[in-house]
């Protein structure tokens, strides 16, 4: 089944939720778009720069983690499910320095697992989903990759 696309209102809701977290607000993270089943976030280099005048590795890790977390959170909203979302584990690879706006995207590692994830959450109150993400440069080159698992725990 194709993944439902969130509405502009869903994306605004996610942005408000992200912006309410002080570290995320300090990083200047913005929801850029949702396209082809992936969530795209961005953050300005100026708020995430290191001593080498490129993107701080921790900022790249945070942006990638939040892209995965945001994707899962959006899917729960679209499914009408109330749950807390946590990152369970992740692995990052830094491939190239980033000297421009940070742009990350995330989507399920296996798209077909989304429905099973939602069904398991409904049935057991807890479910896991593998996510994959990347930071791309404006040239299209991949600067960092993310592989992780997120856990959703039903509220109430």
């Amino acid at each position: 089944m194709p993944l439902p696309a969130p509405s502009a209102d869903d994306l605004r809701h996610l942005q408000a939720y992200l912006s309410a977290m002080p570290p995320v607000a300090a990083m200047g993270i913005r929801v850029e778009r949702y396209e082809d089943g992936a969530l795209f976030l961005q953050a300005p280099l100026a708020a995430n720069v290191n001593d080498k005048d490129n993107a701080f590795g921790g900022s790249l890790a945070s942006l990638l983690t939040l892209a995965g977390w945001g994707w899962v959170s959006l899917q729960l909203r679209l499914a009408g499910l109330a749950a807390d979302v946590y990152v369970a584990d992740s692995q990052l690879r830094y491939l190239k320095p980033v000297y421009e706006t940070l742009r990350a995207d995330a989507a399920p590692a296996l798209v077909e697992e989304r429905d099973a994830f939602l069904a398991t959450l409904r049935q057991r109150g807890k479910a896991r989903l593998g996510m994959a993400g990347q930071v791309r440069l404006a040239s299209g080159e991949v600067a960092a990759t993310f592989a992780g698992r997120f856990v959703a725990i039903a509220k109430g």
Side-chain angles (χ1 to χ4, degrees):
M1 160 189 285
L3 298 177
S7 68
D9 186 53
D10 294 323
L11 295 177
R12 280 191 294 275
H13 180 267
L14 177 61
Q15 181 65 62
Y17 198 68
L18 288 169
S19 295
M21 292 183 257
V24 178
M27 291 176 64
I29 293 176
R30 294 283 171 243
V31 174
E32 188 175 4
R33 69 186 188 281
Y34 185 95
E35 183 177 283
D36 296 329
L39 177 65
F40 292 77
L41 301 181
Q42 66 176 355
L45 177 62
N48 297 284
V49 71
N50 65 17
D51 61 320
K52 295 163 207 61
D53 292 327
N54 60 36
F56 176 61
S59 292
L60 294 172
S62 295
L63 190 64
L64 284 160
T65 302
L66 287 165
W69 176 91
W71 189 96
V72 174
S73 297
L74 277 173
Q75 294 303 311
L76 294 173
R77 180 177 167 94
L78 292 172
L81 296 169
D84 289 318
V85 178
Y86 303 91
V87 62
D89 57 60
S90 64
Q91 181 179 12
L92 292 126
R93 291 190 61 218
Y94 301 97
L95 306 170
K96 295 184 177 296
V98 178
Y99 292 95
E100 60 195 47
T101 298
L102 289 62
R103 288 187 171 84
D105 64 82
L110 299 170
V111 175
E112 60 274 11
E113 289 185 356
R114 176 197 164 265
D115 291 337
F117 165 76
L118 294 173
T120 300
L121 182 60
R122 282 185 183 103
Q123 182 182 31
R124 297 186 186 161
K126 184 176 178 180
R128 281 187 219 145
L129 183 64
M131 297 291 294
Q134 56 194 356
V135 169
R136 283 194 184 268
L137 303 175
S139 66
E141 292 179 280
V142 175
T145 61
F146 171 93
R149 287 183 309 158
F150 289 83
V151 175
I153 301 171
K155 292 182 181 181

